[in-house]
Amino acid sequence: MKIKFSIVTITFNSEGTLRDTIESVLIQKYRPLQYIIQDGGSMDTTLCIAESYKDKFERENIELIIASEKDKGISDAFNKGISKADGDIIGIINSDDKLCESALEIISENYKKNIDIYSNTGGFGIDGMVSTLLGSALASPDKLFIGVIGDLAL
């Protein structure tokens, strides 16, 4: 059975950068994939931008969850997003970062079920770029949490 990825992006007034982040998730070919946008009550068009992608995510067979509520800061926002995730691997991509093409495929190919915590100290090259596979901490005994999907984010 294939592992499922849940990717969490937290946002707050991210209208200037969110489209690129969303597009970088949409180009991932790996499935099953869940994408969670956890917004902190943006006052700009962040939510409108996120909502405008619903049909694209459905066509790409990517589960999309968009939630907006006040939070107590970045850590609280991450926790709210992570609590909605049901993937085997939970990753975070900031609202001003982008995933490299095939990032999830590369991670899935290198993921070892017997390893609970990956470190961001090692690296490997992608298209000539030295990138870290995973930076992480364990979220729960049955899920791997990726602090940032290494430098597979640009």
Side-chain angles (χ1 to χ4, degrees), residues 20-154:
D20 288 341
T21 304
I22 291 172
E23 292 287 341
S24 78
V25 174
L26 278 168
I27 65 168
Q28 301 301 309
K29 300 297 181 211
Y30 187 91
R31 302 292 182 273
L33 175 57
Q34 175 186 58
Y35 185 48
I36 300 160
I37 299 173
Q38 180 68 47
D39 181 72
S42 291
M43 305 297 273
D44 62 3
T45 61
T46 297
L47 283 175
C48 292
I49 291 167
E51 297 281 342
S52 74
Y53 281 90
K54 280 185 172 182
D55 289 341
K56 287 184 181 181
F57 276 90
E58 189 172 326
R59 281 193 303 273
E60 292 296 327
N61 196 29
I62 300 172
E63 178 187 356
L64 176 63
I65 297 171
I66 301 170
S68 182
E69 59 188 302
K70 295 280 185 198
D71 55 58
K72 298 173 190 162
I74 292 172
S75 296
D76 186 42
F78 281 135
N79 286 333
K80 287 176 185 248
I82 290 167
S83 72
K84 294 171 178 65
D86 64 7
D88 303 299
I89 297 178
I90 302 170
I92 292 172
I93 180 81
N94 293 318
S95 64
D96 61 350
D97 289 331
K98 297 181 273 187
L99 289 176
C100 292
E101 191 172 339
S102 303
L104 301 182
E105 290 172 331
I106 292 166
I107 292 169
S108 71
E109 290 167 5
N110 290 279
Y111 173 69
K112 307 274 191 270
K113 286 191 178 212
N114 295 345
I115 299 175
D116 291 333
I117 298 176
Y118 285 82
S119 168
N120 64 356
T121 57
F124 63 96
I126 302 172
D127 297 330
M129 176 179 67
V130 176
S131 298
T132 303
L133 176 59
L134 300 173
S136 69
L138 194 59
S140 71
D142 60 342
K143 293 179 190 257
L144 175 68
F145 169 76
I146 306 167
V148 172
I149 300 189
D151 290 334
L152 294 178
L154 297 174

